Each structure stands twice: as structure tokens, then as C-alpha cells.
Amino acid sequence: MIPSSFEYFAPTTLSEAQTLLRRYGGDAKVVAGGHSLIPLMKMRLSEPGYLIDLGGVDELSYIREDDGGLAIGAMTTYYDIESSPLVKTKYPVLAEATALVADIQVRNKGTIGGSMAHADPSADLTAVVLALEAELRSGSSRAQRSMPAHRFFVDTFTTTLRDNEILTEIRLPALPAKTGGAYRKFANKASHFAEVGIAALVTIDGGVCQRVRIGVTGAGPIASRARGAERALEGKEPTQRNIATAANRAGRGIEFQSNIHASAEYRAHLTTVYARRALEEAVSRAG
Amino acid sequence: MATVTMTVNGTSYTNDVEPRLLLVHYIRDVLGLTGTHVGCDTSQCGACTIRLNGRAVKCCTMFAVQANGADITTIEGMASDGELHPIQQGFWDEHGLQCGFCTPGMIMLAQQFLERNPNPTEQEIRRGLAGNLCRCTGYHNIVKAIQNAARKGQPA
Ligand SMILES: Cc1cc2nc3c(=O)[nH]c(=O)nc-3n(C[C@H](O)[C@H](O)[C@H](O)COP(=O)(O)OP(=O)(O)OC[C@H]3O[C@@H](n4cnc5c(N)ncnc54)[C@H](O)[C@@H]3O)c2cc1C
Ligand code: FES
Ligand code: FES
């Protein structure tokens, strides 16, 4: 499959990339790992006239400690994240979810920034950044802004990023002590995309769930927080019964999607089951 | 047109290419290295796996211009001085192929997999093969081939 013609740019700095994006605007696309964009270009579902490759913009690839949390550059690959000792110690749930994305080759190329910007309804890391209450930083040649994850994702393949903006960083705030996390997904057998994926974080102190955060992906048109389920468990003891009650609410407010892989009813069922499994595992790792 | 220069199996190549030329087509049609296969052309099957700057990648999902300056190894670069690479030998010894179409990609992936996990369990090998499809073998002998190479302690 041959994509339509485009002009190619390989900037080596962020500001150079932003200037190019401003110049070519709506007819330009940035390419990160290319593992969502290039397949779309090959099918001619995307036909940018200008392709701005961020592959050489080294300043966007890093994982560093930041104010008790972590700052991850948008161009950091899945492999760099899953193999990072910093991620494994501070946010094991992120390492766990990342290692379940696609396959070795895709993880060698795909980036966290590309996954966020693409906003595929079945992407894995969207659920995790929602549960971690990450901030997503972006910038154009003129201005920078920062946005909480729950406001960043708007709809299927739609975020608040503007045509002239580049996503630069994903900032993970420090987690409270005694927090356990887990990511559980029912994966598509061929692509490993999440039919349903649940990221859960539970903070247990004094035998009670003090704080619960749940991100759901795959189920609806876009990843979202399961606030009803969070509230149902907060202030409660982490008993099997309380967890099950909370998990039953994980699908509240989700407009379940139907496609050839799974019906809406099946996704609703999977959401409850995987929310329970993710919560149980998070609880066992907490405290 | 854009000019690209890259090193493939130790040889440096420079060519003018259209930006939309896929890296796999550059390797096969421009360089004539046809050991790298196109199976699905949709990033699923892994037949096009090569090693690019130390990472196994599916080169049907990259443009040749993106590999400008890169150091690439394809299946043709695995044997040295007429000696099969230990992973290739593993596939030979364990009958890890039937038609052979998936084999170059399997070997290029196996190299990265074993480099990161030199003593894998069978389950880890099966999981590690997630991005490579084989329509012939049922995978059993591919798993054995990788176990065979792991036992020999494959050099990078
Ligand atoms: C076979 C296969 C299996 C897969 N399985 C999974 C899976 O199991 N789970 C999963 O989550 N994903 C899966 N993916 C998708 C994969 O994770 C993609 O790599 C990822 O979604 C996009 O990241 P990328 O770096 O490749 O982005 P690209 O494809 O380069 O870009 C995607 C989009 O985001 C935009 N973009 C990228 N970076 C930026 C930035 N910094 N600022 C602004 N815009 C930007 C691009 O313009 C483009 O529109 C799979 C992909 C393949 C090919
Ligand atoms: S041809 Fe590249 S993954 Fe199938
Ligand atoms: S040996 Fe024929 S596809 Fe694998």
C-alpha cells in the first residue's frame, strides 16, 4: 500500500518542529512512532501534504523525576517506559500496562505522546494516565499549556490539541503513600488493543480505601474515569463485597461501543469483570 | 525526492528516494535485499522485522527517509563467514520453518527478544512472538528453535 505524496521534514529541535507546524498548519502532520499514523496514511485515510518527523527531536525523549512525580517526554517509547527503573519503582502500574501494549516491535517504536495525541478508544495508556491524574503539556510556537488528562480526551481520535500544537510532556503527580495499582485488560487476540482495559489505583490506610482512581479504556468512544465506582469504594473497607459493588458501577455513564470484536453488552460485562480484577489486584498491592 | 544514507549489514548506501517510499520497499527493491518480507503490509505479521539502531522494528510501517543515518541489520547480515547465526542454526536444527516466509522476521525478532531475556521460559517466548505470525508451523518448533538458541547463549 502506497500513501499519497508528501513533503518530509526532519527537525532536530522542538522549536524548529513548531515553526514548521505553524507554517504548514492543517495540511501538516507530525509523526512520532508512526504506528498509528503510517497505517492510516497507507490506507489513505490520512493524506497530509507535509510530514514533520519528531524522531530526531531528542529533547522530547526522557523520563525524569519531577516534584516527587515523574515527567515523561512525549517521544519516549513504550520500550523505554516499560524498561525504566524509575517507572517500575514509582509507577509500576504504568510499566505493567505498557508491557501489555501490542508487541515487542510496536513497543520499540510507539510513543506515549503518540498514544495520547491519537486518542484511540482502545489504547491502553489513556486509562493509566487518567487514573494517575496526569497533566499533559503541549506547546505551539507561541504558547504553552497544560491540561489534566480528563479534559485532554474529547472524543474518539479527538483531543484538545490544536493543529499547531505539539504534545511535549506527560507529568505524573506523586502518589500518596500506601497506594497500589493494577492494569487489567481483555485484549483483542490479533492486535492486543484493549476491548476493555481498566487501570485502578487504591490507597489503603487504617484498613480503609482512602482514595480510589479508576481509568477505563476500550469500552466507550473514549477513555474515561469511573467516578461512580471510585466513590463507591472510597471510605470503605477493601472487602470482596465492597470491591464487587464498586466494580458494578464502573460502566456508569459509558456509551458502550459495538463492533466486530465485541458487542456493547459484552463490553459492559467485561468492564465490570475487569474493574473487579484490577481493583482486587490494586488492593493486594496497597498498604 | 530526498537523499538518504544508511548502513545496511555493514555497507553504506546513498540513494534519492521519494519520501513516501516505505523502508521495506527500499530494502527489497532499491537495495535488492529480498530476505525481508512483506506479509500483511499492515503492521501485524512481523515478516518485515529488521534491526534498526539496535531495535527490532516492522519496516513496513516506516518510511525510508526516517531511516536516514541509521544502522540496519537484515536477515542477510546475520550469518558471518559462512557460519549461520546461532538463532538461524536453532531454526535449522529444530525444523523451525516450513515455507520459510515468516522466518526472517522471526529470527530478527528472536534476536532482540533473547538479548533482553537470555533465559526465557516457554511462556515468555510465546508471548514475545506476539507480533509475528506463522501460517505453517503452529509455532511449536519456532519456540523450540528459540529455546535451542537460548541454550547456546547466543552472541548479540
Ligand atoms: C499492530 C499494532 C498493534 C497495536 N496494539 C496496540 C495496543 O495493544 N494498545 C495500544 O495502546 N496501542 C496499540 N497500537 C497503537 C500503537 O500504540 C501506536 O504506536 C500509538 O497509538 C501511537 O503512537 P505513535 O508514537 O506510533 O504515534 P504516531 O502514529 O506517530 O501518531 C499518531 C497521531 O498522533 C499525532 N502525534 C503523535 N505525537 C504527537 C505529539 N507529540 N504532539 C502532537 N501530535 C502528535 C500524529 O500526528 C498522529 O495523528 C498498535 C499499533 C499496531 C500497528
Ligand atoms: S509486512 Fe510488516 S508487519 Fe506484516
Ligand atoms: S513457516 Fe510458513 S509462514 Fe511460518
Side-chain angles (χ1 to χ4, degrees), chain B:
Chain B
M1 292 295 243
T3 304
V4 293
T5 297
M6 62 191 91
T7 303
V8 182
N9 304 329
T11 306
S12 172
Y13 298 90
T14 300
N15 293 94
D16 288 332
V17 298
E18 256 197 276
R20 63 175 168 168
L21 180 70
L22 294 168
L23 180 56
V24 70
H25 293 147
Y26 176 77
I27 290 171
R28 288 176 56 83
D29 302 342
V30 179
L31 304 187
L33 296 168
T34 53
T36 302
H37 292 163
V38 181
C40 64
D41 204 8
T42 55
S43 332
Q44 312 272 340
C45 75
C48 63
T49 302
I50 59 164
R51 186 178 176 92
L52 181 134
N53 294 333
R55 290 195 176 198
V57 300
K58 297 176 178 177
C59 68
C60 71
T61 311
M62 261 192 86
F63 297 111
V65 283
Q66 296 183 284
N68 190 28
D71 187 14
I72 290 174
T73 308
T74 67
I75 189 68
E76 289 89 345
M78 293 297 276
S80 60
D81 302 327
E83 285 263 325
L84 290 182
H85 184 281
I87 301 176
Q88 291 175 305
Q89 191 64 49
F91 273 74
W92 182 296
D93 292 343
E94 304 288 347
H95 305 284
L97 57 142
Q98 288 179 25
C99 80
F101 195 86
C102 69
T103 315
M106 289 285 179
I107 289 173
M108 299 313 291
L109 180 273
Q111 177 190 36
Q112 177 104 88
F113 174 78
L114 288 176
E115 179 178 79
R116 292 178 183 171
N117 186 356
N119 294 304
T121 63
E122 181 185 335
Q123 181 70 9
E124 286 168 342
I125 295 174
R126 289 183 182 274
R127 286 233 171 99
L129 290 174
N132 292 66
L133 300 179
C134 175
R135 299 303 293 262
C136 302
T137 63
Y139 302 96
H140 294 297
N141 286 0
I142 293 176
V143 174
K144 284 188 200 155
I146 296 173
Q147 286 171 325
N148 176 309
R151 275 198 301 278
K152 287 182 289 204
Q154 62 117 14

Side-chain angles (χ1 to χ4, degrees), chain A residues 38-61:
Chain A
I38 295 175
L40 289 174
M41 289 173 67
K42 288 169 74 174
M43 291 184 282
R44 303 209 179 193
L45 294 171
S46 177
E47 300 183 81
Y50 305 89
L51 195 65
I52 302 166
D53 191 349
L54 299 180
V57 182
D58 294 340
E59 70 193 277
L60 288 180
S61 176

Side-chain angles (χ1 to χ4, degrees), chain A residues 29-37 54 74 78 101-102 106 110-111 113-115 117-118 123-124 161 165-167 185 191-193, chain B residues 43-44:
Chain A
K29 275 263 173 209
V30 298
V31 61
H35 275 49
S36 289
L37 181 59
L54 299 180
Y78 294 121
V101 173
V106 173
T111 66
S115 177
H118 195 57
D124 290 295
L161 279 178
E165 276 182 319
I166 290 177
L167 178 65
K185 77 164 158 176
S191 70
H192 304 97
F193 270 111
Chain B
S43 332
Q44 312 272 340

Side-chain angles (χ1 to χ4, degrees), chain A residues 206-226:
Chain A
V208 170
C209 300
Q210 304 289 351
R211 182 178 179 275
V212 180
R213 295 290 181 270
I214 301 169
V216 184
T217 188
I222 193 68
S224 58
R225 280 269 295 275

